[in-house]
Amino acid sequence: MSFKLIDLPYAPEALEPVISAETLGLHHGKHLQTYVNNLNNLLPGSGFEGLPVEEIVKKADGAIFNNAGQVLNHNMYFAQFQAPVDDNKPDAAIAKAIDANFGSFQAFKDEFSAKAAGLFGSGWLWLSADSEGKLVLTQESNAGNPLTRGLKPLLTIDVWEHAYYVDYRNRRPEYIANFWKIVNWKVIGERFEA
Ligand code: MN
């Protein structure tokens, strides 16, 4: 048994102009494919064969952790988008939880965006829920995932340069500002309520 590259749940140009088809082709078709291939090559004889990727991320270290983390992180990232929407915002339980934890949706976006912009080097900014349903933001470097902190990951932004450099060059804050237009809050709500 081996891991496979996930299919994108939208057309390659569907996220334009926020994320171009060129970026998606490289990011999904080349970067993620490489992490999938690396993980499959590392698993035989490792003791992690046959485990779900979430379990590998929780238990592994070194190269297996790095590649499993990047497979899980990218699977969650690519699955959480939709075509751009004006005034895009959450509803139902996740909207109430954001208001309760951050004061307002705008305050949440501001804090998430600032922490994503301020993450040094390559990594991911995550919104997660703890065991009591409290929402927390964590900066994770490289392949980090909040699962290793006992948190339930809900929403993430990839701030590795490969995620935005074709479209935004060095303008990471502009990528982050546009990111909010393509978040599929139905997916985030389902993760929260699962
Ligand atoms: Mn990436």
Side-chain angles (χ1 to χ4, degrees):
M1 197 192 94
S2 60
F3 290 100
K4 298 214 162 40
L5 182 69
I6 57 157
D7 291 325
L8 294 175
Y10 37 76
E13 66 280 5
L15 307 183
E16 291 187 348
V18 176
I19 296 176
S20 68
E22 182 184 5
T23 289
L24 267 187
L26 290 165
H27 197 183
H28 171 261
K30 302 293 184 186
H31 289 274
L32 178 53
Q33 181 71 68
T34 299
Y35 295 126
V36 169
N37 294 346
N38 288 347
L39 181 59
N40 286 333
N41 290 335
L42 288 162
L43 284 179
S46 69
F48 295 110
E49 281 170 281
L51 291 181
V53 69
E54 290 85 354
E55 292 304 309
I56 300 174
V57 167
K58 282 193 251 185
K59 292 170 181 160
D61 58 15
I64 294 181
F65 172 81
N66 286 338
N67 286 284
Q70 287 295 71
V71 170
L72 175 59
N73 296 350
H74 286 94
N75 287 355
M76 294 189 71
Y77 175 80
F78 289 123
Q80 70 182 10
F81 294 136
Q82 61 182 4
V85 175
D86 288 332
D87 196 27
N88 190 26
K89 54 180 187 261
D91 61 9
I94 185 64
K96 289 195 180 76
I98 286 172
D99 286 346
N101 284 271
F102 297 95
S104 68
F105 180 52
Q106 188 61 50
F108 158 71
K109 284 200 294 186
D110 290 346
E111 187 176 340
F112 183 106
S113 298
K115 286 183 168 165
L119 196 158
F120 184 79
S122 296
W124 304 76
L125 199 282
W126 288 89
L127 172 71
S128 301
D130 72 10
S131 55
E132 268 96 54
K134 183 178 183 298
L135 299 183
V136 294
L137 297 174
T138 59
Q139 289 177 324
E140 307 288 349
S141 62
N142 299 320
N145 185 291
L147 276 179
T148 62
R149 304 175 190 268
L151 297 169
K152 178 164 74 172
L154 304 175
L155 169 70
T156 191
I157 185 166
D158 185 347
V159 295
W160 284 59
E161 287 184 344
H162 67 226
Y164 62 87
Y165 223 82
V166 167
D167 298 328
Y168 298 94
R169 300 303 180 191
N170 60 317
R171 303 186 305 278
R172 189 194 285 186
E174 194 178 321
Y175 158 62
I176 297 165
N178 286 329
F179 160 87
W180 297 109
K181 298 173 189 167
I182 58 169
V183 173
N184 184 337
W185 283 103
K186 185 166 172 288
V187 171
I188 310 308
E190 286 166 1
R191 290 174 181 170
F192 180 60
E193 295 183 58

